[in-house]
Amino acid sequence: MALNWNPKHLEIKTRSVEKTLEPLVMQVTTLVSSKSPQKKKGKSKRAHVLVAAVERATQNFVEKGELIALENPDIKHEMLATVDEVRTTGEIMSTSAKEFANDPCSSVYRGNMVRASRNLLSAVTRLLILADMIDVHLLMKKLRRVEDDLEYLKSVSSQAELMDGMDRFGRSAAD
């Protein structure tokens, strides 16, 4: 499967991608929210819980992406590259978020964390779009097979060909 696209310049227009990202966006937004009360000294315990949640979500995306890559050898290289980007940006996000949680008054740490969170969200978005593209490709392949079987059924000229065509159509439709 050859895909002609530039994953760095994508416009997100699908509701499914938005809904899938919603929990991660909420966690990151809560993590970087400036409206939460900040203490002059100390560490944010709640931020560490949120960091752990983002780490779990990122790991889930990595695992699912690797599974998709194994199941789709035609796109394995692109998917694994995207998974690696999610893993790397997730690690950077985790590190910067922990630094900020340890010093919530630091505007430098806050800025680093915000940049890291945006990069992570972009990488996860590219992963989801690639996974959606794979799904669309597989659905189109199955649709073409069913259409070919229907065309065959239109051209049959005997009872035996009709029965064979119905069997083929049934298998194709069930896939």
Side-chain angles (χ1 to χ4, degrees), residues 113-173:
M113 186 184 63
V114 168
R115 278 187 296 284
S117 65
R118 288 181 182 146
N119 291 337
L120 175 59
L121 289 172
S122 293
V124 168
T125 301
R126 284 189 289 278
L127 177 76
L128 291 171
I129 289 171
L130 185 54
D132 279 350
M133 291 174 72
I134 292 168
D135 284 344
V136 168
H137 174 75
L138 293 173
L139 288 171
M140 293 302 294
K141 205 163 137 178
K142 290 177 181 184
L143 177 63
R144 280 192 287 282
R145 189 175 342 135
V146 169
E147 287 174 337
D148 290 347
D149 290 344
L150 284 173
E151 284 302 314
Y152 175 77
L153 281 172
K154 286 181 187 177
S155 67
V156 298
S157 59
S158 71
Q159 182 74 22
E161 286 178 344
L162 178 62
M163 295 308 292
D164 178 53
M166 289 301 292
D167 285 343
R168 281 178 38 189
F169 177 72
R171 285 191 304 272
S172 295

Side-chain angles (χ1 to χ4, degrees), residues 7 10 12 17-32 54 57-58 61 82 85-94 113-129:
L10 289 175
I12 303 167
V17 171
E18 180 184 335
K19 283 296 182 190
T20 305
L21 282 176
E22 199 170 89
L24 186 59
V25 171
M26 291 302 293
Q27 290 169 350
V28 170
T29 303
T30 303
L31 190 60
V32 299
V54 171
T58 302
F61 282 116
T82 305
E85 183 180 3
V86 170
R87 182 183 293 112
T88 302
T89 57
E91 290 167 357
I92 293 168
M93 170 63 190
S94 176
M113 186 184 63
V114 168
R115 278 187 296 284
S117 65
R118 288 181 182 146
N119 291 337
L120 175 59
L121 289 172
S122 293
V124 168
T125 301
R126 284 189 289 278
L127 177 76
L128 291 171
I129 289 171

